[in-house]
Amino acid sequence: ENILESEPIVYRRIVVPQNPHKEFCTDSGLVVPSVSYELHKKLLAVAEKHGLTLERRLEMTGVCASQMALSLLGGPNRLNPKNVHQRPTVALLCGPHVKGAQGISCGRHLSNHDVHVILFLPNFVKMLESITNELNLFSKTQDLPDTPVDLVINCLDCHENAFLRDQPWYKAVVDWANQNRAPVLSIDPPMSEMELGIDAKWSLALGLPLPLGERAGRVYLCDIGIPQKVFQEVGINYHSPFGCKFVIPLHST
Amino acid sequence: ENILESEPIVYRRIVVPQNPHKEFCTDSGLVVPSVSYELHKKLLAVAEKHGLTLERRLEMTGVCASQMALSLLGGPNRLNPKNVHQRPTVALLCGPHVKGAQGISCGRHLSNHDVHVILFLPNFVKMLESITNELNLFSKTQDLPDTPVDLVINCLDCHENAFLRDQPWYKAVVDWANQNRAPVLSIDPPMSEMELGIDAKWSLALGLPLPLGERAGRVYLCDIGIPQKVFQEVGINYHSPFGCKFVIPLHST
């Protein structure tokens, strides 16, 4: 009964409806195709319809992105009781949109884990509800520091608010980030190459990756808890590439 | 500037208003006091008031409990593409209450990670809304199997529904679990010693532990993302014991 026949490994377990613009692979060689921005958006909309609400996704993305950031900051070597005098500092740059709210959720979890988080958020008179909810849970925003930080987390950009890039606060923050020499983690960055103001060392894609380019740095993929039936409904044949992890590195093929 | 004076380590960084019934400590020696059921309930109520809604807590608990379960199931050794013919099986026992909803959220994440999850939930005509939401996202319930499973996750018990224990379905499920010899992980178990039907090998406490007894097995603590100001508001002087982790083992002192 215990003799198991070894079956051939299937490496292509995710099939998307359109021919993917770009493909990635995981450490164990599983192929992860990219999806277009439109398909990614549809995937989230269908997930929402099935009850995976924005609030749940914000919480899940916040937890997983903060787990990734904690490990980038040095993990258990940096964050242990002997090291309380060396708290790491993170500058969190958030735009006034859902991606910004994701960033604030990540910041709250980092702050709960003893990281000193400096949150930048532009001042708008009327804020998105999901932003004000996150802010209630977290804390006040702060001026960006003149001193070095350990990590910059970038949640400034969003596919549908390209006009933000012309605003003075946006340009000032991009300048600040480029002058501060800390490495940058971009959460859910848009894919256009020309427009990105800040080069990332790492980028965290959510669910399935967009065809991210060079300026996104090393791409990681975050499980945001989308059930298989949701993938099916948008025409994606999906089989989890995550194994026991919730954040995995992807490699260009 | 880089010469750091070593400060003495403070091991008692969490102080609760009442004298704790029991104290635990972490791997690095930090003291984690237990809290009463009433104080724990108040903590969650205040967190809710600040915007840490039930939905967020369900998602966060589901993710962290599933991360713990995935590691109990063997982690990367068990869940890798070469092992698809050996999918682990988990029996998930859920009562008709919020703790049950926590279990279903955990089950969805396990299922997304290729674990075969058999969900037991008693049949009630009118279910709690949080249960039906979780069920919509997850899938149908199933009969408990006659064959062995790798892990039993127990979310049957809850402090305020002790009467459930007299119901036939409850007794049948307890018998099933005691006959199936798989190890048991209890999520957020109640603390009364006499009443627990199923002995746990591991228990996962949320936020701060109750004074759990022997029958809870090895106690782990899960970060459920409660901000410091919430602890303050209920009179707890809190400093995270989690370091860079979201689930940590606790030891009796």
Side-chain angles (χ1 to χ4, degrees):
Chain A
E1 271 188 10
N2 275 318
I3 301 166
L4 296 163
E5 306 225 345
S6 71
E7 291 168 40
I9 303 175
V10 180
Y11 288 103
R12 203 170 275 282
R13 307 197 298 180
I14 305 177
V15 182
V16 294
Q18 304 122 333
N19 213 0
H21 213 265
K22 184 167 182 172
E23 285 187 333
F24 297 90
C25 71
T26 69
D27 280 346
S28 50
L30 298 174
V31 177
V32 179
S34 70
V35 292
S36 66
Y37 173 65
E38 289 68 33
L39 184 55
H40 196 268
K41 195 175 162 184
K42 194 172 161 195
L43 183 67
L44 295 186
V46 173
E48 177 103 34
K49 194 188 75 182
H50 282 278
L52 199 72
T53 56
L54 177 59
E55 245 192 315
R56 278 180 193 263
R57 284 175 357 242
L58 285 175
E59 196 66 22
M60 171 116 199
T61 308
V63 172
C64 292
S66 69
Q67 289 180 341
M68 178 173 176
L70 287 166
S71 108
L72 295 176
L73 288 167
N77 299 321
R78 182 76 188 261
L79 291 137
N80 71 56
K82 292 180 191 144
N83 251 344
V84 276
H85 50 287
Q86 282 193 305
R87 283 176 71 191
T89 299
V90 167
L92 179 59
L93 316 178
C94 295
H97 37 55
V98 167
K99 301 214 176 186
Q102 278 171 357
I104 306 175
S105 170
C106 171
R108 172 167 52 90
H109 290 291
L110 286 176
S111 174
N112 283 350
H113 286 247
D114 261 353
V115 173
H116 178 219
V117 178
I118 299 165
L119 169 60
F120 167 85
L121 185 71
N123 236 332
F124 279 64
V125 177
K126 180 140 178 57
M127 274 289 188
L128 209 64
E129 196 193 341
S130 56
I131 294 256
T132 40
N133 289 347
E134 289 297 339
L135 273 181
N136 275 342
L137 264 168
F138 184 50
S139 62
K140 292 277 168 290
T141 58
Q142 260 179 288
D143 285 338
L144 288 170
D146 296 327
T147 48
V149 299
D150 295 280
L151 180 69
V152 171
I153 299 180
N154 180 13
C155 307
L156 284 177
D157 292 298
C158 147
H159 288 86
E160 289 168 22
N161 298 50
F163 64 91
L164 292 177
R165 291 174 197 149
D166 297 326
Q167 303 199 350
W169 61 264
Y170 185 94
K171 290 177 180 167
V173 174
V174 169
D175 285 347
W176 177 88
N178 288 332
Q179 269 156 39
N180 195 303
R181 304 165 74 93
V184 176
L185 164 63
S186 284
I187 300 182
D188 194 12
M191 59 200 171
S192 108
E193 280 293 286
M194 313 165 292
E195 312 260 357
L196 268 178
I198 303 173
D199 282 349
K201 182 163 182 184
W202 311 276
S203 284
L204 186 61
L206 308 180
L208 279 177
L210 302 177
L212 295 167
E214 288 292 312
R215 298 192 66 188
R218 286 182 240 156
V219 179
Y220 284 72
L221 186 65
C222 176
D223 181 2
I224 49 168
I226 298 178
Q228 201 157 27
K229 62 179 172 189
V230 172
F231 285 103
Q232 258 165 27
E233 203 172 315
V234 300
I236 298 174
N237 198 333
Y238 179 84
H239 196 114
S240 163
F242 288 98
C244 64
K245 303 269 177 63
F246 280 73
V247 174
I248 55 173
L250 294 182
H251 312 282
S252 291
T253 52
Chain B
E1 269 186 14
N2 276 315
I3 300 166
L4 297 161
E5 306 226 344
S6 71
E7 292 169 37
I9 302 175
V10 179
Y11 288 104
R12 203 170 275 282
R13 307 196 298 178
I14 305 178
V15 181
V16 295
Q18 305 123 336
N19 213 0
H21 213 266
K22 185 169 181 171
E23 285 187 332
F24 297 89
C25 70
T26 69
D27 281 346
S28 49
L30 298 175
V31 176
V32 179
S34 68
V35 293
S36 67
Y37 173 65
E38 289 68 31
L39 184 56
H40 196 268
K41 196 176 160 182
K42 194 172 160 194
L43 183 67
L44 295 186
V46 173
E48 176 102 35
K49 195 187 75 180
H50 281 278
L52 199 73
T53 56
L54 177 59
E55 246 193 313
R56 279 179 192 262
R57 282 171 4 237
L58 285 174
E59 196 66 22
M60 171 116 199
T61 308
V63 172
C64 292
S66 69
Q67 288 180 340
M68 178 174 177
L70 287 166
S71 109
L72 295 176
L73 288 166
N77 299 320
R78 182 73 186 263
L79 291 137
N80 70 56
K82 293 181 188 142
N83 251 344
V84 276
H85 50 286
Q86 282 192 304
R87 280 176 73 190
T89 299
V90 166
L92 179 60
L93 316 178
C94 294
H97 37 57
V98 166
K99 302 213 176 189
Q102 276 171 358
I104 306 174
S105 170
C106 171
R108 171 167 54 91
H109 290 291
L110 287 176
S111 177
N112 282 351
H113 286 248
D114 260 353
V115 173
H116 178 217
V117 178
I118 299 165
L119 168 62
F120 167 85
L121 184 72
N123 234 332
F124 279 64
V125 177
K126 181 142 178 52
M127 274 289 187
L128 207 65
E129 195 193 340
S130 57
I131 294 257
T132 40
N133 288 348
E134 289 296 339
L135 273 181
N136 275 344
L137 264 168
F138 185 50
S139 62
K140 291 278 167 290
T141 59
Q142 258 178 291
D143 287 338
L144 289 170
D146 296 327
T147 47
V149 298
D150 295 279
L151 180 69
V152 172
I153 298 181
N154 180 14
C155 307
L156 284 177
D157 292 298
C158 148
H159 287 87
E160 289 168 21
N161 300 48
F163 64 90
L164 290 177
R165 292 174 196 150
D166 297 326
Q167 301 198 353
W169 62 263
Y170 185 94
K171 291 176 180 169
V173 174
V174 169
D175 286 347
W176 176 88
N178 288 331
Q179 269 156 40
N180 196 304
R181 304 166 74 93
V184 176
L185 164 64
S186 284
I187 300 182
D188 195 14
M191 59 199 170
S192 110
E193 279 293 285
M194 312 165 292
E195 313 259 357
L196 268 178
I198 302 173
D199 282 351
K201 184 163 181 185
W202 310 276
S203 284
L204 185 61
L206 308 181
L208 279 176
L210 302 177
L212 295 167
E214 288 291 311
R215 297 191 66 188
R218 286 182 242 156
V219 179
Y220 284 73
L221 186 65
C222 177
D223 181 0
I224 50 168
I226 299 178
Q228 202 158 25
K229 62 179 174 189
V230 172
F231 284 103
Q232 258 165 26
E233 201 172 317
V234 301
I236 298 173
N237 198 331
Y238 179 84
H239 196 114
S240 164
F242 288 97
C244 64
K245 303 268 175 64
F246 280 73
V247 174
I248 55 172
L250 294 182
H251 312 284
S252 291
T253 52

